[in-house]
Amino acid sequence: MVNKDQVEGVAKQVAGSVKEAAGKATGNKTTQAKGTAEKIAGKVQKAYGDTKEKIKKAL
């Protein structure tokens, strides 16, 4: 089963990757950095969601 944090985490990762690529393509370091940060935040949120699911299944 998938929870909200897992879905939102993956969405943030995708959006961050797009933003990061756009920043690289245009040479805009600020956009690239924001994309990288968003991608990392998405990974953290997904990991949190994964952990919640593991705990839920264990109980």
Side-chain angles (χ1 to χ4, degrees), residues 1-57:
M1 194 165 144
V2 178
N3 65 39
K4 177 182 158 188
D5 288 307
Q6 290 170 313
V7 173
E8 288 180 4
V10 170
K12 280 184 186 176
Q13 286 180 42
V14 171
S17 293
V18 170
K19 197 179 287 186
E20 184 180 29
K24 282 182 183 177
T26 61
N28 188 330
K29 298 285 185 186
T30 303
T31 302
Q32 184 178 349
K34 286 181 182 179
T36 302
E38 191 171 343
K39 193 165 66 171
I40 292 168
K43 286 181 182 181
V44 170
Q45 186 172 9
K46 183 180 179 304
Y48 172 71
D50 292 344
T51 301
K52 277 180 28 179
E53 280 301 310
K54 286 179 185 176
I55 291 170
K56 191 176 179 182
K57 288 180 183 179

